[in-house]
Every structure is written in structure tokens, then in C-alpha cells.
Amino acid sequence: MLSSITILTLPALILASPTLHKRLANGLALTPPMGWNSYNHYNCAPNQSIIHSNAEALVSLGLADLGYTYVTTDCGWTIPHRTADNKLTWNGSLFPAGFPALGQYIHDLGLGFGVYSDGGVQMCMTGGVNQTGSLGHEATDAETFASWGADLLKYDNCYSSAEKDFPNVDYEPLTSPHQNYVNMRNALDATGKNLLFQICDWGVDFPSAWAPELGNTWRVTNDIIPNWRTIFRIVNQVVPQTDHAGPGRWLDLDMLEVGNNIFTHAEEQTHFALWSILKSPLTIGCALNDSFTSVSASSLAIMKNENVIAFNQDALGVSANLTRRYSDEGYDVWSGPLSGNRTVAALVNWNNHSIDATLDLPDVGFQIAGWVRDAWTNETRKNVMTSCKASIEAHGTLLLELGETVPAGVYQLDGAPVSSPCNLKVNKQGSSYQISTGQSSVTLPVTLIAGNNNTLAISTTSPIESITITPPNGTFYPNTAFTISGPGNASHITCVPGLCAPLGVKIGDLSPNNSASLTIPASAKAVGSRYVELTYINNDVAISTSWGEGRNARNITISVNNQTTRLEVPLSGRSSELYSAMKGWGDSAVLGVLVDGWKEGDNEVVVGNVGGEKGVQSLGADFVGLKVF
Ligand SMILES: *[C@@H]1O[C@H](CO)[C@@H](O)[C@H](O)[C@H]1NC(C)=O
Ligand SMILES: *[C@@H]1O[C@H](CO)[C@@H](O)[C@H](O)[C@H]1NC(C)=O
Ligand SMILES: *[C@@H]1O[C@H](CO)[C@@H](O)[C@H](O)[C@H]1NC(C)=O
Ligand SMILES: *[C@@H]1O[C@H](CO)[C@@H](O)[C@H](O)[C@H]1NC(C)=O
Ligand SMILES: *[C@@H]1O[C@H](CO)[C@@H](O)[C@H](O)[C@H]1NC(C)=O
Ligand SMILES: *[C@@H]1O[C@H](CO)[C@@H](O)[C@H](O)[C@H]1NC(C)=O
Ligand SMILES: *[C@@H]1O[C@H](CO)[C@@H](O)[C@H](O)[C@H]1NC(C)=O
Ligand SMILES: *[C@@H]1O[C@H](CO)[C@@H](O)[C@H](O)[C@H]1NC(C)=O
Ligand SMILES: *[C@@H]1O[C@H](CO)[C@@H](O)[C@H](O)[C@H]1NC(C)=O
Ligand SMILES: *[C@@H]1O[C@H](CO)[C@@H](O)[C@H](O)[C@H]1NC(C)=O
Ligand SMILES: *[C@@H]1O[C@H](CO)[C@@H](O)[C@H](O)[C@H]1NC(C)=O
Ligand SMILES: *[C@@H]1O[C@H](CO)[C@@H](O)[C@H](O)[C@H]1NC(C)=O
């Protein structure tokens, strides 16, 4: 492949422009809020002694000192009906001292008092019990919570749609729950008290598009469930929306299951690592201490890991995102920037067996890291060049902090003096270039061979600061150039103007039985494994299937000369799955993947869903195009 090298006398600098979103600015949650909530362990059956003993444990176990300060009593605290003056009140047999006293108790421990209500006609409850919700009573309820000294309101979404005969959970309401949250936002403002507002509509109607101006946090997915498969489902939904997170506004991945004896130690680490680096609120959901149980030392150690908490609470406030996915190998690479020119990188092993994995630094944007710290062991390695190897437990995560990094493709030299003029040899083939006086960099084309070790030998009298190798521009092959064959409904679909970028057309309904093919020529230098960027569309939002096998993912395969690479893509939708023009099926995304099988001459490239019948979804992701490098 033809690349170019730039020999620079200054290190390269990469600048990113921030995306700005309209947002709430109430000065709260400048870093993701941390605390404890009763729901994951106690369901809708909290009571005073439960809240007291867990709040005390937050303090005595040292969690409060690490930032876990909000204590929220979730569903089940109230009674079926309002009081004579139309207010919500607590269940006196469960909370004999009452809610104002509960708030005082929590405040006396130095903690924040979190309350819970629901934007619908009734609250979420179990066992066929009904409890009145806040719909139509927003002003009264906000005033009540403020008068009790509440610091935080979690606002749920059960029975939000009266039109559909009061279903408990309605994932496809006739009207968006958005207005219920606007109403409560206005009601909270009217109290004159500043409450942290946690929106919990389970991701219905793509709240990242409207919630940042209403709340400090918003749930992006349906509930976390006590099963390992829930982690993959949740993070796949977060991928297209990570850029909506920022100081004062955070994507809520739901409360933690760490400590609930559902996951192995490695699984709990993966769960906590992903929640931390994706900047989710860290809301402990286990029984820290009650009359039956207390949290295990190993789970506690995970939640108290200061390295990992620091990723979550980092002052920069930028979420990590999915950088590369190796579906056939079963692992992901996630990464994101931290303050102080540091980076966090996570290699997540989805296999239920341990793997020896290699984190290629260029996959997270770097060539060299001056130091790399393992967040779990706190061990630091110095001068890590190009890659980092580690053994990762079943369902575990290698979690690294990187500093003193050098961008991918940049090789820093010592500036050692050499001879004149500039002689460049690539794989022993040489040329000579003249450098003019005063010239600070020179850019030269070089031919590197994919998959090989290439040697660059440079000699010049000018001291060299660094060399930068820029990969060639890829060639984009649009889906419109591909020919569809095989039975089934696969077809080219014209999208609503502006969608299915960059083409306005996609291929939908790829199945195990049909596919789209194109002949792509390749030179002798571009054989074997090549980097390919896939532009795809997937908005298979697993809301109603989230207790089952819903994964928020679809497979797509790229076969080159019958050698098949599978990529299980996350969601790409960045608009409402219910009310937008194509229900999120017009929002495209790009993910890179190494594709093997290339040979010199014509290559048969087939996009489809080979083996799709073995998956949860036999239809593949929609296909927009391939960029081959
Ligand atoms: C747990 O609760 C018991 C009973 O109130 C108390 O003796 C113990 O100190 C508590 N442990 C922690 C870690 O808070
Ligand atoms: C209070 O909670 C208890 C225990 O769940 C329940 O039996 C009782 O009916 C509740 N009281 C009211 C007024 O709802
Ligand atoms: C509170 O809940 C705990 C644990 O479920 C239970 O043992 C206790 O009896 C409950 N207390 C009240 C007052 O309901
Ligand atoms: C709860 O409310 C629904 C809808 O109004 C009603 O059909 C149901 O009978 C109620 N259940 C109880 C136990 O009151
Ligand atoms: C995700 O991360 C990659 C690599 O760091 C970056 O290029 C991309 O812009 C990020 N995407 C979003 C949506 O933040
Ligand atoms: C981060 O890197 C930039 C560019 O090299 C440098 O100007 C800045 O001082 C660095 N910041 C910190 C906190 O190290
Ligand atoms: C992972 O493997 C272990 C032991 O081999 C097994 O007990 C467990 O059920 C497996 N987990 C999943 C999610 O398949
Ligand atoms: C990790 O090591 C650093 C020194 O590299 C030290 O400052 C820090 O306290 C250690 N952190 C933990 C959690 O052990
Ligand atoms: C490239 O060099 C490394 C280190 O010397 C070696 O392990 C590897 O096998 C070489 N790869 C090829 C394709 O020659
Ligand atoms: C690669 O693409 C960029 C931007 O699209 C363009 O500026 C540059 O000239 C291209 N380089 C080559 C070698 O085609
Ligand atoms: C791929 O496999 C099919 C079916 O076995 C065969 O007809 C075709 O020639 C193969 N293509 C290549 C490029 O080997
Ligand atoms: C993707 O393929 C793998 C391997 O066949 C399968 O386990 C998984 O369920 C598939 N994903 C979907 C969303 O169908």
C-alpha cells in the first residue's frame, strides 16, 4: 500500500472540536452522581430500617468518603391514594418516623436525600398494588419533596400513557413521555430548591436528544437485569450516544448489580469498569448491610477502587466509546480521554473463557505510551511501544490508564545528527531527497506492505524530531455498487433525505440466505488482512426483549474470497425509535474491522449475514458501504 511519511521537527498535535448540546445548567452533577438506591436488591419493598442501615454502611465502609453520597428510596415507599389535601405521603408501617425524619437521618450522616416518583398516573409497583403517580400533580409533589428537604428526585415512567389503558410499562406510548419530564422540570424550578433530577424513562423516545436540557442524568436503556447478558445489551445501546454526556448531564446505564451475588468477580469488574468509563452515575444497588446480609469484601473492593472511580469522576467529563470490536475473537476495545493528557482503555473479554489478548495501541489512537497503569493491580509499565499483552479472565476486562502518549503513526527520534542529503530507504529500496534550508518537514510517499514488518532507514544532516506515517486514504465502495442475490427480501432502500449517510440509500434485510457482492481489485502489496471501515445501520432497540435475549446488536459478515469476518454491530440510531422519520433506521455509523482473505487481482467481496440463523436476529444489520484501506 502507498502511504506517506512526514518527517517533522515538532511533535504532531491533534485537536478535536467539542460538540455542544442544549443543556440544563443547575450546577449539580458536574461529575456523575454516586450513591445508593434500594431497588436492585429490595425491589419495591424498602423500609426505614433498610434505608438506615444501608446509609450507615455507606459511611462506615468508607464509601461516602469516596463520593457515594446520595441515598435514594425507590418504589414502594408511598400508599395507594393521596392525602385529603392531595399530597403524596409515606406508608406509615414501613416508615414509622416519616419521610422528613428519614431525610434528616440521611442528612445527619452527611449524605444526600434522594426521593422517587413517577411521571405517570401510577407508580411502578409489584404484586398488583397501585400507588398514585405524579402525572397532573407535578407542582404539588415537587413542593412536597422540596419541603421534606430532598436533594435528588428519580422520576420513573410507569403508566405514563393513559391512552393505552394504564399498562404498567408501555414501551410504545402513543405520545412521548418527554412532556411529563418537562412538566416535572418546571415544577422543580418553581420550588426554588435545587434538586438533582434523574430522568428514568428507560430510553423510550431517545432521551439523549431532549433530556440534557431537563435533567442531570437520564436512563438510556431498559432496566439492568440480574443476568450477565444484560451488560452487552446495555453498552450496545450507549455506543451511538456517548457524545451527549458531559458535566451536569450524564447517560445513566442503570444501577449497579455489583455485590448482588449474580456475577463472578471478573464480571463485576467488567460491569463496574464500563459504567465508570462511560460516565454513568454509580449507584450501588446491593445490600451493603442489613439484618440478613452484608456486602462481600471482593465486591466492596471493586466499588472502592480509586483508580476506577477516578475515571468516572475525571474533571474532563468525556465518555469513553467503542473503538474496535473483534466479534470472531470475542473482545472489544473501548477508550476515551481523561484530563491531563491521559487516556483510559478497556479490553473487554466477552468470552466465557480466559484469553491472551493484545491491545494494539493504534486501536486507541497511539503508537507509544510513556506509562501504562493497570487499574486493578495498580502496576505500572513504562515505555510501552505499539502493543500491550495480557491474559484476561473469562468475562473480565483489562483496564488501563495511559499517559505520555504519542499519536499513532508518530515515531519520536532523539534528533541524532545524521548525514546529507536526506536518504530514505523503505524495505531496502532507496531514494534521495533534497531538503531546502529552513524547511521544517518533508512529506514523502512510501510503499509499505500490509501485514509485514517494514523497515524505514533515513539518513540526513538535519536532526530528526519525529517521523509520522499517514496511512493511505481508503477507497469507499457504496452499497449501490453491490449486486444483491439469493432468496429473501434484501433490497436497496432509498432513505428519507439526509439519512443513511453518506449515500441516502442502504441495503436492508440481509439474511443468511442472501447477500450483496462486488468485485474489488487489489494490488500485490494489498494482500492478506486489510483494515476496512463498515458503514452500517442498526436500530434494533431491545426494550421489550431486554429481559430475554435482546442484545441491541446485529451481525453483518464481510467475506473476501469466501473467507468470512463477522462483526456484531451495536446500535447506530441517534434519534427516536418511535417518532423519528425512519425510527432510527436512517442513522448510520462506522466501525472498523480487520478483514482477511485479500489476494492480488480480483477479489470477490460479499456482504451478508453468514451463520445468522444461529443468532438472536437472523437478519443482519443494514449495509451502507465499505471503505477499504
Ligand atoms: C451492620 O449493621 C449492624 C447492626 O446494626 C452493625 O452492628 C454493624 O456495625 C453494621 N456494619 C456496617 C459495616 O455498617
Ligand atoms: C404499607 O406496606 C405494607 C407492607 O407492604 C402493606 O401491607 C400495607 O398495605 C401498606 N399500607 C398502605 C396504607 O398501603
Ligand atoms: C424491613 O425489611 C426487612 C428486610 O426485608 C425486614 O426484615 C423487616 O421486617 C422490614 N421492616 C419493616 C418495618 O417492615
Ligand atoms: C390498579 O389500577 C388499574 C388501572 O386503573 C386497575 O385496573 C386495577 O384494578 C388496579 N388494581 C388494584 C389492586 O387496585
Ligand atoms: C469515539 O471514539 C473515536 C476514537 O476515539 C472517535 O474518533 C469518535 O469520534 C468517537 N465517537 C463519538 C461519538 O464520540
Ligand atoms: C497536554 O499536552 C499539550 C500538548 O502537548 C500540552 O500543551 C499541555 O500542557 C499538556 N497538559 C498537561 C496537563 O499535561
Ligand atoms: C461461564 O462458565 C461457567 C463455568 O464454565 C458457567 O458456570 C457459567 O454458567 C457460564 N456463564 C455463562 C453466562 O454462560
Ligand atoms: C497506585 O500507585 C500509585 C503510584 O503509582 C499510588 O500513588 C496510588 O496510591 C496507588 N493506588 C492504589 C489504589 O493503590
Ligand atoms: C515482525 O517482527 C516481530 C518482532 O521481531 C516478529 O515477532 C514477527 O514475527 C514479524 N512479523 C513478520 C510478518 O515478519
Ligand atoms: C486524502 O483525503 C484527504 C481528505 O479527504 C485529502 O485532503 C487528501 O488529499 C487525500 N490524500 C490523498 C493521497 O489522496
Ligand atoms: C466461493 O465459494 C463458492 C461456493 O463454494 C464458489 O462457487 C466460489 O467460486 C468461491 N469463490 C471464490 C472466490 O473462491
Ligand atoms: C451474532 O452471532 C453470534 C455467533 O453466531 C451469535 O451468538 C449472536 O447471537 C449473534 N447476534 C445476534 C444479534 O443475532
Side-chain angles (χ1 to χ4, degrees):
M1 60 177 175
L2 188 68
S3 301
S4 67
I5 72 163
T6 303
I7 301 169
L8 280 181
T9 54
L10 286 172
L13 186 68
I14 294 175
L15 295 174
S17 59
T19 327
L20 291 178
H21 297 275
K22 235 170 108 181
R23 62 180 188 268
L24 181 67
N26 63 355
L28 298 175
L30 296 180
T31 60
M34 297 168 68
W36 183 90
N37 174 297
S38 54
Y39 183 76
N40 277 2
H41 189 85
Y42 301 98
N43 206 318
C44 296
N47 66 44
Q48 185 174 302
S49 65
I50 286 171
I51 306 300
H52 282 190
S53 67
N54 279 285
E56 285 164 24
L58 273 182
V59 175
S60 63
L61 296 173
L63 290 157
D65 283 343
L66 293 169
Y68 295 96
T69 52
Y70 289 103
V71 176
T72 303
T73 306
D74 210 287
C75 51
W77 63 273
T78 180
I79 57 171
H81 303 291
R82 291 178 173 270
T83 60
D85 54 356
N86 215 22
K87 290 182 177 164
L88 287 176
T89 193
W90 56 89
N91 179 324
S93 53
L94 297 177
F95 294 91
F99 257 51
L102 183 70
Q104 190 58 51
Y105 190 92
I106 290 168
H107 284 158
D108 288 347
L109 288 167
L111 304 171
F113 177 33
V115 295
Y116 166 94
S117 189
D118 185 288
V121 287
Q122 288 162 13
M123 296 195 190
C124 303
M125 265 302 280
T126 46
V129 177
N130 290 334
Q131 295 186 340
T132 175
S134 290
L135 185 66
H137 303 278
E138 291 85 357
T140 307
D141 293 352
E143 193 48 56
T144 300
F145 299 143
S147 74
W148 292 348
D151 302 297
L152 175 155
L153 172 64
K154 170 178 172 179
Y155 205 50
D156 217 336
N157 194 41
C158 285
Y159 299 96
S160 75
S161 168
E163 296 90 333
K164 279 203 175 177
D165 201 20
F166 307 107
N168 184 350
V169 287
D170 185 356
Y171 301 127
E172 297 185 15
L174 297 179
T175 55
S176 169
H178 176 189
Q179 189 60 42
N180 294 347
Y181 292 93
V182 172
N183 294 345
M184 184 49 87
R185 170 76 264 156
N186 292 337
L188 288 171
D189 287 344
T191 68
K193 298 274 169 52
N194 200 9
L195 273 72
L196 197 154
F197 189 33
Q198 299 200 297
I199 291 172
C200 177
D201 92 327
W202 327 310
V204 173
D205 189 27
F206 201 77
S208 284
W210 48 263
E213 57 187 283
L214 302 177
N216 296 103
T217 72
W218 58 95
R219 282 273 302 283
V220 286
T221 75
N222 204 343
D223 288 9
I224 190 167
I225 64 165
N227 189 303
W228 166 247
R229 65 174 182 266
T230 204
I231 304 297
F232 190 69
R233 172 195 32 106
I234 290 175
V235 297
N236 279 329
Q237 190 155 0
V238 176
V239 171
Q241 12 184 344
T242 53
D243 63 337
H244 289 277
R249 55 187 204 285
W250 308 105
L251 281 64
D252 186 346
L253 276 58
D254 207 356
M255 299 165 292
L256 297 167
E257 289 285 9
V258 179
N260 278 331
N261 299 321
I262 295 155
F263 299 146
T264 64
H265 184 71
E267 289 168 350
E268 288 196 338
Q269 286 181 320
T270 294
H271 171 31
F272 193 67
L274 285 167
W275 265 233
S276 286
I277 70 175
L278 291 165
K279 304 290 194 274
S280 173
L282 296 179
T283 310
I284 297 171
C286 71
L288 291 170
N289 191 33
D290 63 25
S291 40
F292 301 102
T293 187
S294 57
V295 66
S296 73
S298 79
S299 296
L300 189 61
I302 290 170
M303 295 188 287
K304 290 183 73 172
N305 185 302
E306 295 187 41
N307 291 331
V308 187
I309 292 172
F311 298 149
N312 184 254
Q313 298 292 304
D314 185 68
L316 192 62
V318 176
S319 170
N321 71 25
L322 177 68
T323 318
R324 293 288 287 277
R325 171 162 288 173
Y326 295 86
S327 295
D328 289 322
E329 296 82 358
Y331 69 89
D332 276 358
V333 178
W334 296 72
S335 71
L338 299 171
S339 59
N341 294 336
R342 295 167 303 131
T343 297
V344 61
L347 200 155
V348 182
N349 178 16
W350 297 115
N351 298 292
N352 199 10
H353 55 79
S354 69
I355 56 169
D356 288 319
T358 302
L359 174 70
D360 286 319
L361 294 188
D363 278 2
V364 296
F366 305 115
Q367 199 61 48
I368 299 166
W371 56 265
V372 172
R373 173 155 57 224
D374 184 314
W376 302 122
T377 64
N378 206 35
E379 280 161 16
T380 302
R381 297 187 222 179
K382 298 270 184 197
N383 293 319
V384 175
M385 316 280 283
T386 310
S387 68
C388 210
K389 289 187 199 306
S391 171
I392 308 174
E393 281 179 80
H395 295 165
T397 291
L398 174 68
L399 185 62
L400 302 175
E401 180 180 339
L402 287 66
E404 294 166 20
T405 48
V406 174
V410 175
Y411 298 81
Q412 286 178 326
L413 308 177
D414 290 339
V418 275
S419 63
S420 173
C422 176
N423 292 308
L424 172 67
K425 279 189 181 170
V426 180
N427 299 327
K428 302 192 173 142
Q429 312 263 313
S431 326
S432 194
Y433 300 87
Q434 197 61 47
I435 302 179
S436 319
T437 314
Q439 201 175 351
S440 63
S441 78
V442 56
T443 300
L444 312 167
V446 294
T447 300
L448 304 179
I449 302 171
N452 276 34
N453 287 328
N454 295 277
T455 308
L456 298 188
I458 303 168
S459 54
T460 165
T461 44
S462 317
I464 298 174
E465 197 78 31
S466 69
I467 66 169
T468 301
I469 300 182
T470 310
N473 286 343
T475 306
F476 185 75
Y477 299 95
N479 71 77
T480 45
F482 283 69
T483 306
I484 297 170
S485 62
N489 297 327
S491 64
H492 287 100
I493 297 166
T494 303
C495 303
V496 169
L499 297 182
C500 301
L503 293 169
V505 180
K506 62 178 185 176
I507 295 178
D509 289 347
L510 286 166
S511 78
N513 303 317
N514 59 45
S515 58
S517 62
L518 178 68
T519 299
I520 298 180
S523 76
K525 311 278 185 198
V527 300
S529 181
R530 296 173 72 181
Y531 178 66
V532 169
E533 280 178 359
L534 171 73
T535 305
Y536 69 91
I537 295 176
N538 169 32
N539 207 35
D540 185 39
V541 180
I543 292 194
S544 54
T545 55
S546 62
W547 271 265
E549 300 291 331
R551 289 166 77 79
N552 285 316
R554 281 180 188 256
N555 284 304
I556 189 162
T557 55
I558 305 170
S559 307
V560 176
N561 305 315
N562 285 338
Q563 191 163 332
T564 299
T565 302
R566 180 173 61 88
L567 187 59
E568 188 170 9
V569 295
L571 294 190
S572 63
R574 285 174 59 83
S575 50
S576 177
E577 79 288 359
L578 296 177
Y579 312 112
S580 72
M582 292 186 76
K583 302 190 188 308
W585 282 94
D587 302 329
S588 46
V590 177
L591 198 59
V593 60
L594 286 175
V595 178
D596 213 346
W598 298 87
K599 61 181 173 61
E600 184 179 4
D602 282 350
N603 290 273
E604 183 188 69
V605 178
V606 180
V607 176
N609 190 18
V610 174
E613 68 284 355
K614 287 180 286 188
V616 173
Q617 287 291 349
S618 68
L619 292 182
D622 290 356
F623 171 56
V624 180
L626 284 184
K627 192 181 228 187
V628 181
F629 290 83

